[in-house]
Amino acid sequence: MNEGLIEWLKILEIILIASVKFLFSPFEAERQGFSYRESLIITTTGGVVGILMFTFIGEGIAYSWKKIQSSFFGKSKSRIKKFNRLTRLVISIKNKFGVMGVSMITPSLISIPVGTLIINRLYKGKFKNLLVLFFALLIWSLTLNSIAYYLRLSQYLVK
């Protein structure tokens, strides 16, 4: 297969990972042999793509999910909220730190799709939400890429 095509497929793989579960993408980029700067650009781009995608199609997803729930469980059951550890954590952070706190846990602890949907449901103003999410993503991208390249975990993989 063409070397250029293989390189683009690796980049696409990392972008897709970063757009959904950002936490793993810097480690995958390091494993694939990208430099620190390349990894930083690729993973950040993937995170931005995920944030934009789930910001603008998130309302449709939430509406569809609500319709599916009501068709399976009826209207009365779909309104029952279940609180688990993640829900309690998000509500606690929302109450203490606001949109900035929720956005800071989005790329690392909760996934980009879930965090973006939560932020856009809890807070109005998509442009402000996007800026805060991008800022949090940049901080996590710098942090996780630095950790990935400091640890160099790929050296322990069997080749």
Side-chain angles (χ1 to χ4, degrees), residues 78-111:
S78 66
R79 294 176 190 217
I80 296 174
K81 304 291 182 201
K82 291 187 178 184
F83 289 96
N84 55 26
R85 285 184 187 170
L86 181 61
T87 309
R88 286 189 183 103
L89 174 69
V90 170
I91 290 172
S92 172
I93 290 172
K94 174 198 179 277
N95 291 336
K96 289 180 184 175
F97 303 107
V99 68
M100 193 63 177
V102 178
S103 68
M104 287 306 291
I105 65 167
T106 292
S108 58
L109 297 179
I110 56 179
S111 63

Side-chain angles (χ1 to χ4, degrees), residues 16-128:
L16 289 173
I17 292 170
S19 68
V20 178
K21 191 62 179 170
F22 188 81
L23 181 65
F24 302 125
S25 61
F27 298 97
E28 178 62 19
E30 189 270 330
R31 188 183 73 79
Q32 294 286 353
F34 290 103
S35 70
Y36 176 80
R37 190 170 75 170
E38 291 169 337
S39 175
L40 190 65
I41 291 168
I42 295 168
T43 57
T44 305
T45 300
V48 167
V49 166
I51 290 169
L52 288 172
M53 185 171 67
F54 289 102
T55 294
F56 292 112
I57 66 169
E59 291 173 9
I61 292 171
Y63 178 77
S64 299
W65 181 250
K66 198 178 281 189
K67 284 289 193 188
I68 290 169
Q69 276 186 320
S70 65
S71 68
F72 279 115
F73 302 113
K75 293 191 184 224
S76 62
K77 298 260 186 188
S78 66
R79 294 176 190 217
I80 296 174
K81 304 291 182 201
K82 291 187 178 184
F83 289 96
N84 55 26
R85 285 184 187 170
L86 181 61
T87 309
R88 286 189 183 103
L89 174 69
V90 170
I91 290 172
S92 172
I93 290 172
K94 174 198 179 277
N95 291 336
K96 289 180 184 175
F97 303 107
V99 68
M100 193 63 177
V102 178
S103 68
M104 287 306 291
I105 65 167
T106 292
S108 58
L109 297 179
I110 56 179
S111 63
I112 285 179
V114 173
T116 303
L117 292 173
I118 288 171
I119 287 172
N120 286 322
R121 294 283 287 187
L122 294 177
Y123 301 100
K124 300 300 176 215
K126 282 187 182 171
F127 183 72
K128 177 187 162 203

Side-chain angles (χ1 to χ4, degrees), residues 133-145:
L133 282 165
F134 291 157
F135 177 73
L137 176 74
L138 185 61
I139 290 172
W140 277 108
S141 184
L142 289 167
T143 303
L144 291 173
N145 277 294

